[in-house]
């Protein structure tokens, strides 16, 4: 259906993505308003349905109603389908069905797929789509089996299997939806090594980007990694380790979070919150009980987010690394940003700065507007909520269920902008630059 509409309207890739995500969201919202979708048999209110469908399709995880107790199995499967489609991109699924039906992938479809996967060229784009589907299926299968075995000790076997695969799919796609009830997420498993390590690994694999996964898979033959992969892996490792250490230090004496736990529990709790802050959304500690210093750290981690071409959001690890590299280069008096003995081109630094400033502008504006509409909420709760929505993280200090109707609409727009906006911005920045036939004379201004 989307393909026919695109062909009639002659839409370019960015507009196709916006239209595609919009149609999927509205279809999902319509399904969630059906009586069969909710336990009470009344269906979800249209605004709550729109919010939930947007959160699922944009793989965010913010919820205005509890997923485990509000929705029937039908409603939960609708949410899970939206998570899977939103995480991998609807064009990846369109490519999958086209390959099954042995249809040729057109040039326009390859361009849209390139935009959807945030790739720099079309070379090998169909092969990458195939790899994504296979890798996703295997990873979610293994994660689902491991979690099902662990949940079998707490639930009847059918429920354990259902819970295991639901949470595996949700966390691999960095969505953070859960079925544990009462907005509790995975707090009951804060010191459980199996749940913590399996889910953390799922989040990381879904967040490093499929291009990185492809290169790691081919490493046995190629024996080389691109600069992109090296930057993603090193930045991800630093952020995870630094985040874990800082949360451990900041929350160590907090009687509502880490203090009652054993040393292993403290480490596992710190690790999980560090990993999930990078756009996953599930949590094993009560976010609202954390100290303000820890919450500010999580806001920073959420804003940075995952890596390009992944299921996560945020400004991305490569953008953050490029900006840090530019700062270090300026402090050392050097003109070039150097990573692994390779020079980053100046226009990439400008792109990183542009994307970061636009993202920061959206977060600040939405925070200011919500400060007007949500008069009963504290400022840090609003800033946390907006950052979580824009970075498609899904963590919350408890504000989401209490949002006003206007607040819900604003968060819906923020989630949509966070999922689709940066991709469209990146595509626009990648367009061919117009040739300049003249240059203005140099001017000097005082900086700092």
């Amino acid at each position: 259906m989307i393909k026919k509409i695109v062909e009639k309207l002659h839409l370019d890739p960015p507009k196709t993505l916006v239209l595609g995500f919009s149609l999927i969201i509205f279809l999902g919202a319509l399904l969630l308003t059906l009586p069969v979708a909710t336990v009470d048999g009344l269906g979800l209110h249209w605004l709550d349905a729109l919010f939930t469908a947007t959160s699922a399709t944009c793989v965010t995880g913010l919820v205005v109603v509890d997923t485990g107790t509000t929705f029937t199995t039908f409603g939960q499967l609708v949410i899970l389908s939206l998570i899977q489609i939103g995480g991998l991109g609807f064009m990846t699924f369109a490519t999958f069905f086209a390959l099954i039906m042995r249809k040729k992938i057109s040039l326009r479809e390859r361009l849209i797929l390139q935009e959807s996967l945030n790739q720099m060229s079309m070379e090998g784009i169909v092969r990458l789509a195939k790899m994504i589907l296979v890798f996703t299926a295997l990873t979610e299968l293994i994660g689902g089996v491991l979690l099902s075995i662990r949940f079998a000790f707490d639930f009847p076997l059918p429920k354990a299997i259902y819970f295991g695969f639901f949470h595996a799919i949700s966390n691999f796609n960095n969505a953070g939806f859960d079925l544990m009830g009462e907005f509790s997420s995975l707090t009951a498993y804060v010191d459980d090594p199996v749940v913590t390590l399996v889910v953390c690994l799922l989040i990381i694999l879904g967040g490093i980007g499929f291009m990185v996964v492809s290169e790691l898979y081919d490493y046995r033959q190629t024996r080389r990694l691109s600069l992109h992969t090296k930057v993603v892996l090193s930045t991800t490792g630093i952020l995870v380790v630094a985040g874990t250490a800082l949360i451990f230090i900041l929350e160590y004496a907090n009687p509502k979070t880490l203090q009652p736990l054993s040393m292993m529990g403290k480490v596992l709790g710190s690790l999980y919150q560090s990993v999930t802050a990078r756009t996953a959304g599930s949590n094993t500690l009560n976010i609202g009980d954390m100290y303000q210093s820890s919450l500010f750290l999580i806001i920073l981690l959420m804003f940075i987010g995952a890596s390009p071409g992944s299921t996560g959001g945020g400004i991305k690890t490569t953008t953050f690394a490029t900006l840090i590299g530019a700062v270090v280069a300026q402090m050392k008096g050097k003109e070039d940003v150097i990573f692994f003995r390779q020079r980053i081109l100046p226009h990439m630094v400008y792109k990183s700065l542009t994307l970061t400033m636009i993202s920061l502008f959206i977060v600040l504006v939405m925070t200011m507007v919500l400060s007007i509409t949500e008069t009963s909420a504290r400022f840090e709760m609003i800033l946390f909520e907006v950052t979580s929505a824009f970075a498609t993280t899904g963590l919350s200090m408890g504000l989401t269920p209490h949002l006003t109707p206007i607040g819900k609409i604003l968060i819906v727009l923020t989630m949509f902008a966070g999922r689709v906006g940066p991709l469209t911005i990146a595509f626009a920045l990648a367009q061919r630059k117009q040739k300049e036939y003249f240059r203005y004379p140099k001017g000097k201004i005082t900086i700092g």
Side-chain angles (χ1 to χ4, degrees), residues 17 67 112-113 116 120 127 155 161 182 215 218 226 255 266-267 286 290 292 373 390 404 415:
L17 282 182
T67 309
I112 299 172
L113 187 59
S116 177
M120 291 179 285
R127 175 183 176 274
F155 307 108
I161 295 174
E182 303 302 326
E215 282 196 23
D218 294 335
S226 67
K266 289 182 173 66
V267 173
N286 191 330
M290 298 179 76
Q292 287 188 339
T373 63
F390 179 77
T404 62
M415 289 189 290

Side-chain angles (χ1 to χ4, degrees), residues 164-234:
F165 279 91
F166 186 99
H167 290 92
I169 294 171
S170 176
N171 284 285
F172 174 76
N173 287 282
N174 283 211
F177 280 81
D178 72 274
L179 301 178
M180 295 302 174
E182 303 302 326
F183 301 100
S184 61
S185 192
L186 297 174
T187 52
Y189 299 92
V190 60
D191 55 355
D192 189 295
V194 176
V195 173
T196 297
L197 296 178
V198 170
V199 174
C200 281
L201 187 58
L202 287 169
I203 293 170
I204 292 173
L205 289 175
I208 60 175
F210 296 113
M211 187 168 68
V212 173
V213 173
S214 179
E215 282 196 23
L216 292 175
Y217 179 78
D218 294 335
Y219 182 75
R220 291 174 298 177
Q221 287 76 35
T222 61
R223 292 295 174 182
R224 62 177 296 275
L225 295 175
S226 67
L227 176 61
H228 171 82
T229 296
K230 291 178 182 178
V231 171
V232 166
L233 293 178
S234 58

Side-chain angles (χ1 to χ4, degrees), residues 36 58 80 95 111 122 140 156 184-185 204 224 247 255 300 361 377:
V36 70
C58 297
L80 197 62
T95 302
L111 284 170
M122 284 192 299
E140 291 177 350
S184 61
S185 192
I204 292 173
R224 62 177 296 275
I247 291 174
L300 294 178
F361 176 78

